[in-house]
Amino acid sequence: LRNCLLSGCGVAGRTPAIRIERVEGLTIADSRIQGFGPAAISIEPGRNVRLERIQVVSDEKAPDRVGISISGGSDQIEIDRSSVALSLGAAFSIGWPVEGSPPASASEAALAANVSIRNVLSVRNAVFVRIGSARAVDLRRNTIVDPLDTPLLVGPPPKDRPPAAAVRFRGNLVAWTPNTLKRLSGVAAGSGDRPDVEYGANLWFSP
């Protein structure tokens, strides 16, 4: 799926603009999504899905919406050379269902595994990546401009699901206007005392 422009999609603002459900081996590239429901793209579940050169733009301040949601037992998801802006609650939500998601199958497995987000630009979203129940998440070489809350938020997993594990945040650039960033990283209550999150070499910059 290539060279698409989607605007004002999502039934009455209650469904994602693109829903990828029980799909394996899909690439979406060179496309723009603006004006959408709870998420621009929802992958719940998908396997071997690649998103590249995707532009997600919110037409309004929408703290209850996310750019791209990955959940439902998704595995082997790659996102590369894309951008998400402006003023969303999170550019990416991993391992946490959004409104309108299909019910996940009964399982004790993580809601997302083997997720790679690289070379992405995030502008003025509250959170760059929000993680619930996910395993093996690689966040590398991204540019995060003016996050309003925190670049990375690890929250408590949904009921009966394991917490985040093997999350790697490295080689990223985080730049923010003075007195706007609330915290460098966040771990929500109920996430466990020591979530498995590794911060490698990142560049943190505020002029």
Side-chain angles (χ1 to χ4, degrees), residues 1-6 28-32 52-54:
L1 182 64
R2 295 178 182 271
N3 301 315
C4 295
L5 171 61
L6 303 178
I28 301 178
D30 304 304
S31 297
R32 178 184 174 96
E52 57 185 15
R53 297 183 299 277
I54 303 296

Short mmCIF file of all heavy atoms in Angstrom, two decimals, residues 1-6 28-32 52-54:
data_model
loop_
_atom_site.label_atom_id
_atom_site.label_comp_id
_atom_site.label_asym_id
_atom_site.label_seq_id
_atom_site.Cartn_x
_atom_site.Cartn_y
_atom_site.Cartn_z
N LEU A 1 0.86 -1.17 0.00
CA LEU A 1 0.00 0.00 0.00
C LEU A 1 0.90 1.23 0.00
O LEU A 1 1.69 1.42 0.94
CB LEU A 1 -0.91 -0.01 1.22
CG LEU A 1 -1.92 1.12 1.35
CD1 LEU A 1 -2.92 1.08 0.20
CD2 LEU A 1 -2.65 1.03 2.68
N ARG A 2 0.81 2.07 -1.07
CA ARG A 2 1.71 3.21 -1.20
C ARG A 2 0.99 4.44 -1.75
O ARG A 2 -0.06 4.33 -2.38
CB ARG A 2 2.87 2.87 -2.14
CG ARG A 2 3.80 1.77 -1.63
CD ARG A 2 4.89 1.46 -2.63
NE ARG A 2 5.75 0.38 -2.16
CZ ARG A 2 6.83 0.55 -1.41
NH1 ARG A 2 7.19 1.77 -1.06
NH2 ARG A 2 7.55 -0.49 -1.02
N ASN A 3 1.58 5.59 -1.46
CA ASN A 3 1.15 6.86 -2.06
C ASN A 3 -0.32 7.15 -1.78
O ASN A 3 -1.11 7.42 -2.69
CB ASN A 3 1.41 6.84 -3.57
CG ASN A 3 2.87 6.61 -3.90
OD1 ASN A 3 3.75 7.22 -3.30
ND2 ASN A 3 3.13 5.70 -4.83
N CYS A 4 -0.68 7.10 -0.48
CA CYS A 4 -2.06 7.36 -0.08
C CYS A 4 -2.13 8.65 0.74
O CYS A 4 -1.21 8.98 1.49
CB CYS A 4 -2.60 6.21 0.76
SG CYS A 4 -2.73 4.65 -0.14
N LEU A 5 -3.24 9.37 0.60
CA LEU A 5 -3.56 10.51 1.46
C LEU A 5 -4.91 10.25 2.09
O LEU A 5 -5.92 10.11 1.38
CB LEU A 5 -3.60 11.81 0.65
CG LEU A 5 -4.13 13.04 1.41
CD1 LEU A 5 -3.26 13.36 2.62
CD2 LEU A 5 -4.22 14.25 0.48
N LEU A 6 -4.94 10.15 3.42
CA LEU A 6 -6.18 9.92 4.16
C LEU A 6 -6.45 11.11 5.05
O LEU A 6 -5.59 11.52 5.84
CB LEU A 6 -6.08 8.65 5.00
CG LEU A 6 -5.74 7.35 4.25
CD1 LEU A 6 -5.62 6.20 5.23
CD2 LEU A 6 -6.78 7.05 3.20
N ILE A 28 3.27 -0.50 4.33
CA ILE A 28 2.59 0.75 3.98
C ILE A 28 3.69 1.81 3.89
O ILE A 28 4.49 1.96 4.81
CB ILE A 28 1.55 1.15 5.02
CG1 ILE A 28 0.48 0.06 5.17
CG2 ILE A 28 0.88 2.47 4.63
CD1 ILE A 28 -0.56 0.36 6.23
N ALA A 29 3.72 2.53 2.77
CA ALA A 29 4.83 3.47 2.55
C ALA A 29 4.35 4.73 1.83
O ALA A 29 3.32 4.73 1.15
CB ALA A 29 5.93 2.81 1.73
N ASP A 30 5.11 5.82 2.03
CA ASP A 30 4.90 7.06 1.27
C ASP A 30 3.46 7.54 1.36
O ASP A 30 2.82 7.86 0.35
CB ASP A 30 5.31 6.85 -0.19
CG ASP A 30 6.74 6.37 -0.33
OD1 ASP A 30 7.63 7.06 0.18
OD2 ASP A 30 6.95 5.29 -0.92
N SER A 31 2.94 7.62 2.57
CA SER A 31 1.53 8.00 2.76
C SER A 31 1.40 9.02 3.89
O SER A 31 2.27 9.12 4.76
CB SER A 31 0.69 6.76 3.07
OG SER A 31 0.71 5.86 1.97
N ARG A 32 0.29 9.77 3.86
CA ARG A 32 0.02 10.81 4.87
C ARG A 32 -1.39 10.60 5.43
O ARG A 32 -2.33 10.35 4.67
CB ARG A 32 0.13 12.19 4.23
CG ARG A 32 -0.18 13.36 5.17
CD ARG A 32 -0.12 14.68 4.42
NE ARG A 32 -0.54 15.82 5.23
CZ ARG A 32 0.29 16.62 5.87
NH1 ARG A 32 1.60 16.40 5.81
NH2 ARG A 32 -0.16 17.65 6.58
N GLU A 52 6.87 2.74 6.46
CA GLU A 52 8.02 3.58 6.15
C GLU A 52 7.57 4.83 5.38
O GLU A 52 6.66 4.79 4.57
CB GLU A 52 9.06 2.81 5.34
CG GLU A 52 8.56 2.19 4.06
CD GLU A 52 9.62 1.32 3.39
OE1 GLU A 52 10.62 0.98 4.05
OE2 GLU A 52 9.44 1.00 2.20
N ARG A 53 8.22 5.93 5.73
CA ARG A 53 7.91 7.24 5.13
C ARG A 53 6.42 7.55 5.27
O ARG A 53 5.73 7.92 4.33
CB ARG A 53 8.36 7.28 3.67
CG ARG A 53 9.87 7.13 3.50
CD ARG A 53 10.31 7.24 2.05
NE ARG A 53 9.71 6.20 1.22
CZ ARG A 53 10.18 4.96 1.12
NH1 ARG A 53 11.26 4.60 1.80
NH2 ARG A 53 9.59 4.08 0.35
N ILE A 54 5.92 7.41 6.51
CA ILE A 54 4.54 7.72 6.85
C ILE A 54 4.51 9.06 7.58
O ILE A 54 5.30 9.30 8.49
CB ILE A 54 3.93 6.63 7.76
CG1 ILE A 54 4.01 5.26 7.08
CG2 ILE A 54 2.50 6.98 8.13
CD1 ILE A 54 3.20 5.13 5.83
#
